[in-house]
Amino acid sequence: DGKAVAGHEEPVLRIDSVRKEDKGMYQCVIRNEQESAQASAELKLGGRFEPPQIKHAFNEETMQPGPSVFLKCVATGNPSPEITWELDSKKLSNTERLQVGQYVTVNGDVVSHLNISSVHTNDGGLYKCVATSKVGSAEHAAKLNVYGLPFVRPMEKKAIVAGETLVVTCPVAGFPIESIIWERDQRQLPINRKQKVFPNGTLIIENVERLSDQATYTCVARNAQGYSVRGTLEVQVMAPPRLTPFPVVPVMVGDAAQLSCLASRGDTPLNLSWSYIAPRDQPIQPPPGLTVVPVSPVNSLLLIPSVSEAHRGMYRCDASNLAGQDTHLMELIVNVPPRWILEPTDKAFAQGSDAKVECKADGFPKPSVTWKRASGDSPGDYKDLKPNNPDIRVEDGTLLINNIQKTNEGYYLCEAVNGIGSGLSAVIMISVQAPPQFEIKLRNQTARVGEPTVLQCEAKGEKPIGILWNMDNKRLDPKSDISNRYTIREEILPNGVLSDLSIKSTERTDSALFTCVATNAFGSDDTSINMIVQEVPEAPYGLKVLDKSGRSVQLSWNAPYDGKSPIKKYLIQHKISKGTWQADQDTVLVPGSNIVAGVFNLRPATTYHLRIVAENEIGESDPSDTVTIITAEEAPSGPPTGVKVEAMDQ
């Protein structure tokens, strides 16, 4: 009923314990690569089916001519069978002396009787009743012997197919019969090992052949008194057709093709016919442009002046005569060069998406579709895709790239080849539409105060790309800059854009976080430049005297603004109060990490001036405020030496 019966792939479908829902139309289908065939059967459910059975039958009987004969057969079965009668395998029908009747009893039995009035010797023979219904048949046979001279009923011409076995029984009447023999060409059979003759008059010839077995056979029935009678049987051996296979070579579209159907043997007249068996993907109707040419009684040609793909399929030649039939299948392979079903074209994909590029071609044989990628940035020098990359694969001609990136951008080649012609190829460009991207997200840049400097950011991605600059998260607009210190310039690069922010003369306020924001149709990205404007330190301040003695002093101070460059050292400058800083200054060097230091080797009870200068990579700061100290007095270190006396007068 059109529903698949799952799990049954054997030639025989067995249904155990048939149920009501099992009734219906069943269809079996068998397929191979070239064709398919099907058959159907209906399962009907009624009552309980029973094949016919002979319930009552007649026995062998021997009698004198003259009386009437009554033969009876009773058969049962569901559905009710029909009963027919035969005499020596020839069906009987009503005549003046022979009547057949049939009726069904209340119990469902079928009763059939054969009445022969005023029986003759020639009525003798093997009588048989046959009960037949849709679910089977049954039969019963017994002889009726009527006294009298032997008699052989006429035998119709017997046609038999070569290779089969001939079985014929001589239809003899009369009783008693001494012997029944068979002759051919006045020679008593058997005359070879294929022939067998039985006492009841049955002749068997195995594997009949026209040359050796087609002839007129005679059966001779004789009684004990020597009286004999003869009957002839003409045996015709018929040869069924046998077709000679012819190879069919593959053809190209547009070529002419010829299929031959030759019956190398078989009796004429022969009926030669052609039919078309379409492949699964072709229409069932025969393609146009087919011409059948009968060459001879045993040969037929199928001509196709110009082959198209529609002519592909199986062609069947059927040959039949009275003896049988033969079939020969020929597959016409039509080679079709590849042709595009879906030719790939240039594609653009958003970065990170899953790319899918279809490349489909048909032809016969089915083309093999492969993808390759150009090794450089221009078409040419194509190489196979790397098989170990799980993100790039080809399925049924479709190129799939998962999470596509800029590295996947380039030229790709799709080829469809089936060995017919040069094949097809298409070169496409796959571009990846990526948002702008900065390779470095944050970097430092230094400049000396008062000097010009340039900040650069290079964004890669799909153009056009817009660039904006922010300074400490505030939009930087050169047009509104009154001092006109900032200038922005952009340069279009092959794979992006380069933006320059120029500062004519840097100031301390330019030490800030500059952010470059790049935007296109697919997104945005930014990079930051930490601008460090370096200058000499400010002057140290808060210079104090922590302790002093006659020959030293301990100082402390506060570290000043370092000018964005670490203070490398401090210079403690000191001089006696009466000296000058240019001519009489002494210097003590102190590491830049210290803010406490001592000055030694001073003279006691002396007034000094002290100041501090900070130094970084840029230079020295201005001196700090000057501090004045007087060292403590000390007792003389010893008696005076080198005393000289000079006379004041004589």
Side-chain angles (χ1 to χ4, degrees):
D1 296 334
K3 299 177 182 178
V5 181
H8 293 279
E9 298 181 355
E10 297 298 322
V12 178
L13 175 63
R14 301 184 187 276
I15 304 176
D16 296 325
S17 302
V18 175
R19 294 176 293 185
K20 184 178 181 181
E21 55 267 25
D22 293 327
K23 71 176 181 178
M25 187 68 71
Y26 286 78
Q27 184 179 43
C28 70
V29 181
I30 184 168
R31 294 187 180 93
N32 61 16
E33 294 182 355
Q34 285 79 31
E35 60 177 331
S36 63
Q38 62 183 32
S40 61
E42 184 177 7
L43 175 61
K44 294 181 178 180
L45 298 182
R48 180 180 176 86
F49 293 108
E50 294 180 357
Q53 287 184 336
I54 303 296
K55 188 175 181 181
H56 173 79
F58 56 94
N59 298 320
E60 182 174 348
E61 189 175 347
T62 302
M63 60 187 300
Q64 294 289 340
S68 296
V69 175
F70 180 77
L71 304 180
K72 178 180 177 182
C73 269
V74 180
T76 61
N78 186 20
S80 295
E82 184 171 340
I83 298 177
T84 57
W85 291 85
E86 297 177 2
L87 171 58
D88 289 331
S89 301
K90 186 175 181 180
K91 189 173 182 180
L92 297 176
S93 56
N94 290 334
T95 64
E96 290 183 2
R97 294 189 308 106
L98 187 148
Q99 296 291 324
V100 176
Q102 180 174 302
Y103 63 92
V104 180
T105 68
V106 292
N107 296 327
D109 295 343
V110 178
V111 179
S112 180
H113 51 80
L114 173 65
N115 293 326
I116 306 174
S117 60
S118 184
V119 68
H120 297 173
T121 300
N122 297 353
D123 294 329
L126 183 67
Y127 284 83
K128 182 191 296 184
C129 67
V130 182
T132 307
S133 74
K134 290 183 178 181
V135 294
S137 65
E139 61 182 41
H140 170 75
K143 290 200 70 174
L144 175 63
N145 301 313
V146 181
Y147 285 96
L149 295 176
F151 173 78
V152 177
R153 276 184 287 275
M155 291 178 282
E156 296 179 352
K157 181 178 180 180
K158 184 78 171 180
I160 186 168
V161 176
E164 294 184 354
T165 298
L166 172 69
V167 180
V168 60
T169 300
C170 185
V172 176
F175 187 83
I177 300 297
E178 179 73 16
S179 65
I180 304 174
I181 63 172
W182 281 90
E183 297 177 349
R184 172 183 168 180
D185 299 331
Q186 298 181 350
R187 295 177 63 190
Q188 183 174 339
L189 305 184
I191 57 175
N192 57 45
R193 63 185 300 173
K194 297 198 305 178
Q195 301 170 347
K196 294 183 177 64
V197 178
F198 295 89
N200 67 345
T202 299
L203 169 66
I204 295 178
I205 304 177
E206 298 175 342
N207 190 21
V208 295
E209 298 176 353
R210 173 175 290 179
L211 292 177
S212 60
D213 301 313
Q214 180 169 294
T216 299
Y217 294 81
T218 303
C219 82
V220 181
R222 181 177 288 107
N223 63 11
Q225 290 74 33
Y227 179 84
S228 65
V229 65
R230 311 171 76 86
T232 60
L233 170 67
E234 183 181 351
V235 175
Q236 178 188 4
V237 179
M238 299 186 300
R242 288 294 179 265
L243 296 177
T244 300
F246 276 91
V248 181
V249 297
V251 296
M252 290 282 292
V253 171
D255 290 353
Q258 172 182 297
L259 305 181
S260 176
C261 183
L262 173 64
S264 57
R265 69 174 70 169
D267 293 337
T268 56
L270 279 174
N271 179 32
L272 298 175
S273 62
W274 290 90
S275 57
Y276 172 69
I277 304 173
R280 297 185 192 180
D281 57 348
Q282 294 278 83
I284 298 177
Q285 296 80 8
L290 302 177
T291 303
V292 176
V293 179
V295 179
S296 71
V298 295
N299 190 10
S300 175
L301 297 180
L302 181 66
L303 297 180
I304 309 174
S306 179
V307 174
S308 69
E309 188 182 2
H311 292 109
R312 175 170 60 90
M314 299 293 295
Y315 291 83
R316 188 177 73 191
C317 175
D318 292 302
S320 62
N321 62 9
L322 295 176
Q325 63 180 17
D326 194 16
T327 296
H328 177 52
L329 289 174
M330 291 163 273
E331 181 181 12
L332 181 62
I333 298 175
V334 180
N335 288 330
V336 182
R339 58 192 178 189
W340 289 121
I341 297 176
L342 190 59
E343 182 178 2
T345 56
D346 294 347
K347 298 286 185 182
F349 298 98
Q351 180 172 282
S353 64
D354 292 338
K356 177 181 179 182
V357 184
E358 291 184 302
C359 181
K360 294 187 181 296
D362 67 355
F364 192 86
K366 184 179 180 181
S368 171
V369 178
T370 58
W371 281 91
K372 297 181 180 180
R373 181 180 178 180
S375 58
D377 295 331
S378 59
D381 190 19
Y382 296 98
K383 295 184 178 179
D384 294 333
L385 301 176
K386 295 180 180 179
N388 56 352
N389 188 346
D391 290 329
I392 302 179
R393 66 187 190 280
V394 177
E395 292 182 1
D396 193 24
T398 299
L399 175 63
L400 302 171
I401 305 177
N402 295 333
N403 189 26
I404 191 168
Q405 299 296 320
K406 268 293 184 183
T407 54
N408 302 123
E409 195 170 69
Y411 288 93
Y412 289 78
L413 170 70
C414 176
E415 291 182 299
V417 179
N418 68 350
I420 310 300
S422 58
L424 296 175
S425 63
V427 176
I428 67 167
M429 172 67 182
I430 293 181
S431 56
V432 179
Q433 298 172 330
Q437 185 176 14
F438 292 105
E439 294 182 356
I440 300 175
K441 293 295 186 182
L442 176 64
R443 62 184 175 88
N444 293 330
Q445 183 171 330
T446 60
R448 296 194 176 190
V449 68
E451 295 180 354
T453 191
V454 178
L455 307 181
Q456 285 188 333
C457 71
E458 180 180 344
K460 296 180 179 179
E462 301 301 315
K463 294 175 286 231
I465 297 176
I467 301 291
L468 294 175
W469 284 91
N470 292 334
M471 181 177 178
D472 286 337
N473 296 322
K474 293 183 180 180
R475 177 71 57 81
L476 188 63
D477 187 2
K479 296 178 181 179
S480 64
D481 180 25
I482 300 176
S483 64
N484 198 25
R485 293 192 309 113
Y486 299 108
T487 303
I488 295 178
R489 184 182 62 87
E490 291 185 4
E491 178 184 353
I492 304 300
L493 303 177
N495 59 349
V497 66
L498 175 67
S499 179
D500 291 345
L501 173 61
S502 300
I503 305 175
K504 291 183 178 181
S505 177
T506 55
E507 299 177 357
R508 180 182 294 185
T509 55
D510 293 326
S511 289
L513 186 66
F514 287 84
T515 302
C516 174
V517 181
T519 305
N520 67 3
F522 310 104
S524 63
D525 196 15
D526 61 70
T527 183
S528 296
I529 302 173
N530 185 26
M531 181 63 192
I532 302 172
V533 179
Q534 295 179 325
E535 55 184 306
V536 297
E538 292 184 349
Y541 62 96
L543 181 60
K544 295 187 294 184
V545 176
L546 297 179
D547 191 16
K548 65 178 179 176
S549 65
R551 297 181 182 274
S552 64
V553 63
Q554 191 78 8
L555 302 174
S556 73
W557 62 91
N558 291 322
Y561 170 68
D562 62 3
K564 296 292 185 180
S565 177
I567 296 175
K568 295 170 58 179
K569 59 186 174 181
Y570 290 101
L571 293 79
I572 302 178
Q573 300 172 344
H574 60 90
K575 68 176 182 67
I576 59 175
S577 58
K578 295 180 179 180
T580 65
W581 289 108
Q582 289 76 20
D584 303 307
Q585 155 183 312
D586 285 323
T587 302
V588 177
L589 299 181
V590 178
S593 58
N594 291 4
I595 55 172
V596 175
V599 180
F600 301 95
N601 297 323
L602 300 178
R603 289 185 291 177
T606 303
T607 301
Y608 286 91
H609 291 167
L610 296 98
R611 66 183 185 182
I612 296 182
V613 174
E615 182 180 333
N616 62 9
E617 286 286 350
I618 311 304
E620 295 181 355
S621 70
D622 292 334
S624 66
D625 293 339
T626 301
V627 173
T628 302
I629 65 164
I630 301 173
T631 55
E633 296 179 350
E634 288 184 356
S637 59
T641 60
V643 176
K644 294 181 181 180
V645 177
E646 292 182 5
M648 298 299 294
D649 55 23
Q650 294 181 351

